[in-house]
Amino acid sequence: MSKSLQAIRGMNDILPEQTPLWRYFESTVARLLDNYGYKQIRMPIVEFTELFKRSIGEVTDIVEKEMYTFEDRNGDSLTLRPEGTAACVRAVLEHGITGGGQTQKLWYIGPMFRHERPQKGRYRQFHQIGCEVFNLDGPDIDAELIVLTWRLWGQLGIRDAVKLELNSLGTSESRGRYREALVEFLSAHLDKLDEDSQRRLKTNPLRVLDTKNADTQAILVDAPKMADYLDDESRTHFEGLKARLDAAGIPYVINPKLVRGLDYYSKTVFEWVTDKLGAQGTVCAGGRYDGLVEQMGGKPTTGVGFAMGIERLILLLETLEQIPEEISRQVDVYLCAFGEAAELAGLALSEQLRDQLPSLRLQVNAGAGSFKSQFKKADKSGALYALILGDDELAQQVVSVKPLRGQGEQQSIAFDALAAHLATCIVQG
Ligand code: ATP
Ligand code: MG
């Protein structure tokens, strides 16, 4: 027997009953970003593997073990993008849109791919919305990115469920001095570190701070603190950011162990976390990456950005039952026609209605059927009204408008008065 066809583990279909919530989420974010002056950019889903190695860093979880990498027919090594920043930087460099120091405030949306262990809130194909800002180096723009996500949480009704964690990784100079101090400290406790941390100590010591191992965490309690190694520039930047968050009334906690998974961050790093989703609690994460563009071959260009995980935010909306009622109704009126002549008149009438009321959500019955079956379908569609067209109506050039959700009596409305009538009784969302 042949094996039935299935989607790849960790890669999900988003079914018709879920897409209204996705579209509501996506359009809410898109409108907000428009309103703050961010412009959308769309990058390919596949890039040369080299791009991610050079930007994300060879000794990160993503590059070491999570990438979907394959050879194409030319023998080039390609990778399904695991995140958006690298491709975005590649695109702005390739098109020279930041090269003269121009400011760019960009956003993107789309699927990302990481070979991780699938579980709630963690998938192999998942979706992010991200922002990247180039050539603005002050704390004001770091603050704006946080302020706009805070506003978004407010619009979505999830503000009370998320918490902002903040840290500064300093400039590369101050991070270098800190790294030395940390390596010295950890080397003295080498035999007590877990295996992963022992390895990271050699390849990417800051990542040891990120460990989930309890024994290593206990040792880290006495480790040197990044905050004590910040130079004046980093400190002033961080104070500037905190002052702005205070002014905007956004609560935060400083988390000295927040280092983020990727190599390229500097100064500000932040995460929005929730305790409502179990282990996969980070819904949005970002930070400043002032050295990245130059590292990728561009002129010195500062950058700062974030990415939010759409699946986790959708899960949070569902968990908190913050799903607006109007998104579940997708049909305003359902037209039932009985007999060939009524079907023809119904088609002409419905197209005329679509001209007159462009936002009307009108579903026309297809496949004919008895009174009973058409009404059943009309009701199931969620429509507010059924429009009924039979021989009697046709003879009088009227439509019977039957409320399906208990709002009043059935009425007979003349063909040429129907658009005006529907406009008054259907409140568009
Ligand atoms: P985590 O620590 O949860 O693995 P990360 O640091 O790898 O997250 P980022 O690369 O910063 O994640 O991506 C930004 C956001 O994208 C995360 O905060 C999360 O909301 C989402 N995200 C990351 N990986 C996944 C995944 N495999 N499945 C679903 N969402 C994800
Ligand atoms: Mg990860």
Side-chain angles (χ1 to χ4, degrees):
M1 210 172 77
S2 70
K3 199 168 167 254
S4 62
L5 292 172
Q6 287 184 342
I8 296 164
R9 197 164 112 83
M11 304 203 180
N12 301 310
D13 298 307
I14 300 163
L15 294 173
E17 72 223 35
Q18 299 167 294
T19 48
L21 184 54
W22 279 71
R23 290 180 61 183
Y24 156 71
F25 176 82
E26 290 162 0
S27 60
T28 304
V29 184
R31 188 170 352 103
L32 178 97
L33 292 171
D34 283 347
N35 292 352
Y36 276 85
Y38 288 71
K39 301 213 168 88
Q40 195 187 16
I41 180 168
R42 301 186 185 202
M43 298 86 66
I45 286 170
V46 190
E47 298 272 353
F48 288 117
T49 304
E50 186 59 21
L51 173 69
F52 302 112
K53 287 195 175 165
R54 261 171 66 182
S55 58
I56 297 171
E58 299 257 10
V59 286
T60 53
D61 284 350
I62 292 182
V63 172
E64 279 181 341
K65 48 192 188 203
E66 296 176 358
M67 295 206 304
Y68 279 90
T69 297
F70 59 96
E71 226 178 64
D72 79 354
R73 289 171 192 277
N74 305 328
D76 292 324
S77 180
L78 307 183
T79 292
L80 297 181
R81 63 180 183 196
E83 51 104 63
T85 304
C88 188
V89 169
R90 198 257 322 127
V92 300
L93 282 181
E94 188 168 337
H95 300 285
I97 60 173
T98 54
Q102 305 97 306
T103 295
Q104 294 288 348
K105 303 209 299 182
L106 305 174
W107 71 277
Y108 59 83
I109 178 170
M112 307 293 160
F113 303 85
R114 298 183 193 177
H115 197 276
E116 304 195 70
R117 192 169 69 77
Q119 53 200 290
K120 182 182 173 194
R122 190 176 295 286
Y123 313 99
R124 290 181 173 174
Q125 175 174 332
F126 62 99
H127 298 77
Q128 288 184 335
I129 293 181
C131 279
E132 313 291 350
V133 178
F134 297 99
N135 282 319
L136 287 172
D137 60 4
D140 50 351
I141 192 70
D142 302 18
E144 179 174 281
L145 289 171
I146 292 172
V147 167
L148 73 84
T149 47
W150 173 248
R151 176 166 300 280
L152 177 64
W153 313 145
Q155 289 177 353
L156 295 171
I158 57 174
R159 225 181 229 181
D160 293 341
V162 291
K163 198 175 78 184
L164 176 62
E165 298 195 355
L166 206 59
N167 193 20
S168 174
L169 301 178
T171 57
S172 66
E173 294 77 35
S174 52
R175 203 163 52 258
R177 286 189 292 115
Y178 174 63
R179 189 184 294 115
E180 266 175 45
L182 185 66
V183 169
E184 194 183 317
F185 171 86
L186 292 174
S187 300
H189 298 85
L190 189 62
D191 48 337
K192 287 182 240 119
L193 300 180
D194 63 281
E195 211 175 295
D196 240 15
S197 296
Q198 290 189 358
R199 194 171 49 86
R200 281 180 175 160
L201 181 58
K202 295 206 186 66
T203 54
N204 193 347
L206 256 53
R207 289 296 312 284
V208 177
L209 299 177
D210 212 15
T211 183
K212 305 272 184 291
N213 182 284
D215 296 334
T216 305
Q217 281 178 347
I219 291 164
L220 286 171
V221 172
D222 298 319
K225 299 279 174 288
M226 181 74 224
D228 298 327
Y229 288 79
L230 293 183
D231 53 23
D232 284 348
E233 184 190 334
S234 311
R235 203 181 299 275
T236 308
H237 189 99
F238 200 31
E239 291 308 318
L241 171 59
K242 289 191 276 184
R244 282 167 176 82
L245 296 180
D246 292 337
I250 300 179
Y252 54 85
V253 290
I254 306 291
N255 176 358
K257 292 202 188 120
L258 186 65
V259 290
R260 308 283 308 114
L262 315 182
D263 261 1
Y264 51 56
Y265 287 107
S266 56
K267 292 184 179 159
T268 311
V269 286
F270 64 91
E271 287 191 358
W272 287 100
V273 294
T274 178
D275 57 11
K276 302 278 186 286
L277 296 179
Q280 272 53 252
T282 305
V283 294
C284 175
R288 182 163 276 284
Y289 48 87
D290 288 344
L292 179 63
V293 177
E294 205 178 353
Q295 180 189 313
M296 287 173 62
K299 292 190 189 140
T301 303
T302 61
V304 57
F306 66 73
M308 58 182 86
I310 303 184
E311 281 82 356
R312 291 186 193 176
L313 286 158
I314 296 274
L315 276 171
L316 192 54
L317 290 174
E318 288 169 342
T319 306
L320 301 175
E321 296 180 5
Q322 288 294 334
I323 303 175
E325 234 169 77
E326 61 274 16
I327 69 165
S328 56
R329 190 171 59 77
Q330 291 177 72
V331 179
D332 297 321
V333 292
Y334 190 103
L335 185 125
C336 307
F338 303 98
E340 171 90 7
E343 273 189 31
L344 297 181
L347 176 59
L349 184 65
S350 58
E351 287 306 305
Q352 194 185 323
L353 281 176
R354 293 185 206 280
D355 287 339
Q356 293 167 313
L357 303 170
S359 59
L360 181 72
R361 295 173 301 180
L362 162 62
Q363 192 165 322
V364 177
N365 184 74
S370 65
F371 267 97
K372 202 175 155 205
S373 87
Q374 291 202 34
F375 280 133
K376 211 168 154 189
K377 288 199 268 178
D379 190 44
K380 208 170 158 220
S381 76
L384 295 173
Y385 297 91
L387 305 182
I388 303 158
L389 208 49
D391 290 340
D392 291 350
E393 283 86 1
L394 213 49
Q396 297 172 48
Q397 296 284 293
V398 297
V399 173
S400 299
V401 179
K402 179 182 165 63
L404 295 172
R405 309 272 168 250
Q407 61 289 39
E409 296 295 305
Q410 181 168 320
Q411 281 178 281
S412 262
I413 307 290
F415 281 2
D416 54 10
L418 188 57
H421 178 77
L422 291 176
T424 60
C425 52
I426 291 162
V427 186
Q428 300 291 328

